[in-house]
Amino acid sequence: MDGFSIVLIVVGILAVMVLFAGVKTVPQGHNYTVERFGRYTRTLKPGLNIIVPFIDGIGRKLNMMEQVLDVPHQEVITKDNASITADGVTFYQILDAAQAAYEISNLEQGVLNLTMTNIRSVMGSLDLDELLSNRDEINSRVLRVVDAAVAPWGVKITRIEIKDIEPPRDLVDAMGRQMKAERDRRAVILEAEGQRQAQILKAEGEKQAQVLEAEGRREAAFRDAEARERAAEAEAKATEMVSEAIAKGDVQAINYFVANNYVKALEKIASAPNQKVLMLPLEAANVIGALGGVAEIAREAFGGEAPRRNVPGRPPSTRSES
């Protein structure tokens, strides 16, 4: 092998070395920074990239995907001097590879320290009850503060979540007793309210019943008075008719009027509740005889003559006149 062949082989090897040194492949989700003699020049995107061999070099290899950073447990003193233990998780994403590579030396440590500090600051400004019930508000407040702090680093904080808040055991027991007492108080209030409502409804029902009963009595009294009025009107009409008959000299009307009232009087005497035994030495013939006597009186009063009638129930006289 002559010297020319050796030179060609060396040149070929150098060309391959230059090719491999100048061609860079960046995987998806990553960015590489390019440094020329130690100074940042540009950023390589995912795919095939070409740099100047032996002059440009790869500086930092950064993951541009969203990443998760665990926040360890830490002690926090609340506004009402309650000691709790809290931890969380932070989601962040690099937006500018150059800033993330050259604005801070340890990006993860910086994000972690900022998150822990602001968690203590936000939780320390709240009471324990607010701390346990307003976890979403705590997350949003910490997120705003940390995101504004890491903006110069080319990083975006997407989410910060508080995972666990652990009060001391004695405080948990006291909270349990407080919750039980509050629920007992609510139960007593609800029971009293139910009893009050039941009494109100019962009183309303009784009132409505009394109103309906009074209206019923009023309606019954009205109808009873109306019936008595009509009966009185009928009695007055009958009396008027009898009076007119008497004025005209109708003896039969007088007999009917007297007999009718006589029978009614007997009915009242017989139906009286304080009468147990009724003994009357009266006969139907005596009643008819009384009617005949009334007729005689009426005939004398009007000066008329009336034919003699045999009274029913009394046998004709068999005595002979002399």
Side-chain angles (χ1 to χ4, degrees):
M1 183 179 294
D2 55 4
F4 182 73
S5 298
I6 295 174
V7 171
L8 289 177
I9 293 173
V10 172
V11 171
I13 294 173
L14 290 175
V16 173
M17 292 177 62
V18 170
L19 181 62
F20 277 100
V23 176
K24 299 297 180 181
T25 302
V26 179
Q28 183 66 36
H30 292 75
N31 280 355
Y32 293 173
T33 61
V34 178
E35 297 176 356
R36 180 171 295 176
F37 302 114
R39 182 179 181 181
Y40 168 77
T41 58
R42 62 194 177 95
T43 301
L44 300 181
K45 302 299 181 179
L48 184 63
N49 297 272
I50 298 176
I51 62 175
V52 179
F54 308 111
I55 297 176
D56 294 339
I58 301 300
R60 305 288 180 84
K61 297 179 179 181
L62 300 173
N63 188 349
M64 305 300 290
M65 296 180 289
E66 187 173 0
Q67 301 179 64
V68 181
L69 185 63
D70 285 330
V71 179
H73 287 80
Q74 57 179 333
E75 295 289 335
V76 179
I77 304 297
T78 62
K79 185 178 180 180
D80 52 354
N81 296 325
S83 178
I84 64 170
T85 302
D87 64 346
V89 59
T90 301
F91 298 84
Y92 71 95
Q93 185 177 12
I94 298 174
L95 302 179
D96 192 321
Q99 290 181 335
Y102 301 109
E103 294 294 337
I104 184 171
S105 61
N106 192 332
L107 179 61
E108 289 188 0
Q109 189 67 27
V111 173
L112 179 60
N113 288 334
L114 277 174
T115 304
M116 294 177 65
T117 302
N118 285 279
I119 286 177
R120 287 196 300 269
S121 177
V122 172
M123 288 186 172
S125 63
L126 299 174
D127 294 334
L128 181 60
D129 293 337
E130 297 176 348
L131 193 67
L132 297 175
S133 60
N134 298 325
R135 186 171 298 189
D136 292 338
E137 182 182 353
I138 296 172
N139 295 337
S140 61
R141 290 176 59 180
V142 175
L143 176 61
R144 288 195 301 269
V145 175
V146 177
D147 185 51
V150 300
W153 302 343
V155 177
K156 174 67 177 176
I157 305 297
T158 56
R159 290 192 304 275
I160 294 179
E161 300 289 341
I162 303 299
K163 292 194 298 184
D164 294 324
I165 299 176
E166 299 178 0
R169 175 52 55 186
D170 56 348
L171 187 58
V172 173
D173 296 339
M175 292 172 62
R177 292 193 298 271
Q178 179 183 2
M179 181 182 65
K180 184 177 182 301
E182 179 65 20
R183 293 187 179 276
D184 292 340
R185 183 183 68 85
R186 291 181 182 178
V188 172
I189 292 175
L190 290 177
E191 184 178 0
E193 182 67 22
Q195 293 178 356
R196 184 179 72 87
Q197 190 67 22
Q199 292 176 358
I200 291 175
L201 293 176
K202 182 179 179 181
E204 288 290 338
E206 293 177 353
K207 174 183 176 182
Q208 189 67 21
Q210 292 176 359
V211 170
L212 293 176
E213 183 180 359
E215 291 181 355
R217 291 197 302 269
R218 183 176 67 85
E219 185 67 21
F222 175 76
R223 296 198 177 272
D224 189 23
E226 185 178 3
R228 289 197 302 271
E229 181 181 359
R230 292 184 179 179
E233 291 179 354
E235 185 69 21
K237 186 67 175 177
T239 303
E240 182 181 359
M241 293 177 64
V242 171
S243 299
E244 291 179 356
I246 293 174
K248 294 178 180 179
D250 190 350
V251 179
Q252 294 181 357
I254 298 173
N255 293 338
Y256 172 77
F257 179 73
V258 173
N260 187 26
N261 290 337
Y262 192 83
V263 172
K264 287 183 178 179
L266 291 178
E267 288 179 356
K268 291 181 179 180
I269 294 174
S271 62
N274 57 349
Q275 296 294 332
K276 302 302 181 180
V277 179
L278 180 62
M279 299 180 65
L280 294 176
L282 297 178
E283 297 179 357
N286 294 333
V287 175
I288 298 174
L291 294 179
V294 172
E296 293 294 335
I297 294 173
R299 186 168 54 252
E300 293 178 0
F302 294 104
E305 292 294 334
R308 295 176 58 92
R309 297 182 179 89
N310 291 330
V311 179
R314 177 178 297 180
S317 176
T318 55
R319 294 175 58 184
S320 60
E321 293 181 359
S322 58

